[in-house]
Amino acid sequence: MKKLVRFAIAGGIGFLVDAGVLSALLHLTPLGPFLARLVAIALAMAATWAFNRSFTFDRSGRSLASEGFRYGSVGVTAALVNYGLYSALLLSLPSLQPLAAMVIASLASMIFSFFGYSRFVFRTE
């Protein structure tokens, strides 16, 4: 249960980075909601890896490079699910705000991420 709470905190941090970067890019740059979200997801993934590696899960015993690759693999897969749902929502519901679509898509990919990180990335060998 402790890991799940810490994972939720990491997710909250990632969500804040994702939402903050997305909002900033939408307001301060000519990037549209699709390209801005790609940048936001990448920065959020880096933030959650740092938190998850230090506080949520025990270190895996793998090298930093191996662990980073595994984390990236799960993260990219979860991000594709997240981004796919985000895009589908925006395209099918044009009046939906990008941040609302981000919330829905982020929640949908959270379960996949937890199991991927806990079983594939940070599981001790």
Side-chain angles (χ1 to χ4, degrees), residues 8-66:
I9 292 168
I13 291 167
F15 177 82
L16 291 174
V17 170
D18 194 351
V21 170
L22 178 61
S23 292
L25 291 175
L26 289 175
H27 288 83
L28 301 173
T29 72
L31 297 177
F34 297 102
L35 188 54
R37 184 72 201 285
L38 289 175
V39 174
I41 285 173
L43 293 175
M45 190 183 307
T48 59
W49 180 35
F51 188 89
N52 279 327
R53 187 167 205 280
S54 300
F55 300 107
T56 305
F57 301 104
D58 295 328
R59 302 228 171 160
S60 66
R62 294 179 186 89
S63 71
L64 184 62
S66 175

Side-chain angles (χ1 to χ4, degrees), residues 36-114:
R37 184 72 201 285
L38 289 175
V39 174
I41 285 173
L43 293 175
M45 190 183 307
T48 59
W49 180 35
F51 188 89
N52 279 327
R53 187 167 205 280
S54 300
F55 300 107
T56 305
F57 301 104
D58 295 328
R59 302 228 171 160
S60 66
R62 294 179 186 89
S63 71
L64 184 62
S66 175
E67 189 177 279
F69 177 78
R70 285 174 174 249
Y71 193 91
S73 297
V74 172
V76 166
T77 303
L80 288 172
V81 168
N82 190 322
Y83 188 77
L85 181 55
Y86 170 82
S87 298
L89 286 167
L90 288 181
L91 293 171
S92 64
L93 301 168
S95 63
L96 186 65
Q97 293 295 316
L99 288 177
M102 187 201 82
V103 170
I104 295 165
S106 295
L107 290 172
S109 68
M110 188 173 86
I111 293 171
F112 172 83
S113 299
F114 178 78

